[in-house]
Amino acid sequence: MSHTPNDYSAWPDAQGRFGDFGGRYVAETLMPPVLALEEAYGAAKSDEAFQTELRGYLKNYVGRPSPLYFARRLTEHFGGAKIYLKREELNHTGSHKINNCMGQILLARRMGKTRIIAETGAGQHGVATATVCALFGLPCIVYMGAVDVERQAPNVLRMNLLGAEVRPVTSGAATLKDAMNEALRDWVTNVHDTYYLIGSAAGPHPYPAMVRDFQAVIGQEVRTQTLEAEGRLPDAVVACVGGGSNAIGLFHPFLNDDGVGLIGVEAAGDGMGTDRHAAAINGGRPGVLHGNKTYLLQDREGQILEAHSISAGLDYPGIGPEHAWLHEVGRARYLTATDEDALAAFQLCARLEGIVPALESAHALARLPEITAEVGKGGVVVLNLSGRGDKDLDAVATRLGGLA
C-alpha cells in the first residue's frame, strides 16, 4: 500500500504499522488466530451483506444515529466557540462501546467462534460485550481488575444480569492493564473456539484498525450533522483518551481535513508532576505492551508503571498506536486534565446542561475553556460525550464527601 504524506487515513500499512507504532508483538502461539482474524475482518469489511447487517443493528438495536446537541448554556458559560456534544451516552448500554462490540460479535459469529472473552476497566465495554453475547446467545467471560470490580459495582451487576461471568483479576494494580493480560492468557489457551473481543483501539494488528473502523461511525455522523447544523465542518473535535477508541472513532473521518483540529485529553490523575497519572503521551515514551508498540508509562529499565485516574476507563498505562503516530506527526494534540479538573467538569455539565457525563468524558469537558477560547466566537467545537455518569456516582460522592 502506498501512502502520500498527507493521506493520514490510509494507515496502517500491511504489517499493521502506523509509522513506527502498532504492529504485531505476540507469542508464536497467537500468530495463527491473529492472522485468521485479519483475514476474516478483511473479508467482512468488503462484504456488503455484513455491513448492511451491522448498520441494521446499529440503527434498530443501538439507536444510531446519536444526536449532535448544541450545548447552549455551556457555550454561554465559557463565552468562546459554539459547543456541540455528540451524545454517545444515549446509545443502548450508555456509551460508545456498543458500536465496536456489535461489529466484533457479528465477526465472531461469521468466524464460527462459540465463546467470547473480553477485558474491561470502567465496565462499559464489559456491559456492551455481555449485551451482544446475550443478544446472540453466546457465553461471555469478562476479565476485570479487582479494584475496578469494587469501584464499578453497578456495571458488574449489569454484566451478571446479562449472563456474563465476571472474573476479578488481583495481579499487578488489579486494573485494566492486568485484566487485559489475563484475557490474552485465556485466548492463548482456548484459541480453537474463543474470540477475544478487545474494547480499545489497542492490541496487536488488526485490532487497532478494526476497532477504529467500527467506532468511525461517530465521526462520520458528526461530519454529516455539523454540516447540517452549521453548513461547515467543525474547527475542532475533542475527546477523552485512555486506550483511545472513542477518540479515534471521532478523529478518523476528519484526518485529511486540515482545518479540523483533533484534540485528545489524557488523564493527569493527581498531576503531571506526580507519579500518579495515566497520560501515556504527555508522560510516557515508546515501548511495547499488549501486542503493539506505542507510548507507555515506564521506568528507566522499561518496566511498565501503574497508571492512576479517578476514571477506571482511562486508568491504563498506554494509548492506541494510531494516537501515538498522530501525536508524532503533529496531526493531533493531546492535552491533560487532572482528577480535580474532571470532577469540576462533571458537576458543571450536570448543572448547566442536565447531562451527567461519565468521568472519562468529563476529562475532555475540563479542557473546553481553553479550546473554545482558542477557536474563538463564531467557531464550532464538537466534544464526544462518550458515556453517561451513572456508573461514577458512588466514586464521585466518595471523593466529594457526598453530592449535596
Side-chain angles (χ1 to χ4, degrees), residues 280-291:
I281 282 181
N282 285 281
R285 57 191 170 85
V288 174
L289 178 67
H290 295 147

Side-chain angles (χ1 to χ4, degrees), residues 326-371:
L326 289 173
H327 163 70
E328 287 238 328
V329 299
R331 178 61 188 97
R333 275 195 297 155
Y334 295 85
L335 311 177
T336 64
T338 64
D339 288 354
E340 293 300 324
D341 294 336
L343 281 165
F346 180 92
Q347 296 170 84
L348 185 72
C349 184
R351 289 171 183 172
L352 289 186
E353 294 294 349
I355 298 169
V356 179
L359 275 173
E360 289 79 10
S361 313
H363 284 74
L365 287 161
R367 292 281 71 86
L368 281 177
E370 301 94 320
I371 294 166

Side-chain angles (χ1 to χ4, degrees), residues 13-97:
D13 64 15
Q15 282 70 50
R17 291 192 170 275
F18 301 88
D20 289 336
F21 301 101
R24 267 190 286 250
Y25 295 84
V26 296
E28 281 187 32
T29 47
L30 268 183
M31 279 304 285
V34 165
L35 291 170
L37 178 61
E38 181 185 16
E39 184 180 353
Y41 176 59
K45 190 175 178 180
S46 59
D47 182 352
E48 188 51 41
F50 176 88
Q51 296 296 340
T52 299
E53 185 179 22
L54 175 57
R55 285 192 297 270
Y57 279 110
L58 289 177
K59 177 183 177 183
N60 299 312
Y61 189 72
V62 174
R64 304 206 69 90
S66 63
L68 185 72
Y69 164 70
F70 173 54
R72 179 181 58 82
R73 295 194 69 204
L74 275 174
T75 299
E76 290 170 356
H77 179 80
F78 293 129
K82 282 185 175 179
I83 298 166
Y84 284 86
L85 302 177
K86 180 59 170 164
R87 302 287 306 275
E88 288 297 291
E89 96 284 7
L90 294 178
N91 293 337
H92 180 43
T93 73
S95 83
H96 69 289
K97 292 293 188 181

Side-chain angles (χ1 to χ4, degrees), residues 50 73 131 145 224 242 252 292 326 354 384:
F50 176 88
R73 295 194 69 204
T131 296
T224 301
H252 196 255
N292 73 101
L326 289 173
N384 196 27

Side-chain angles (χ1 to χ4, degrees), residues 26 57 96 102 125 141 156 161 192 194 206 211 250 278 322 393:
V26 296
Y57 279 110
H96 69 289
M102 189 57 73
H125 174 61
I141 293 164
V156 176
L161 183 63
H192 59 289
T194 297
V211 174
L250 175 65
E322 190 164 4
L393 292 176

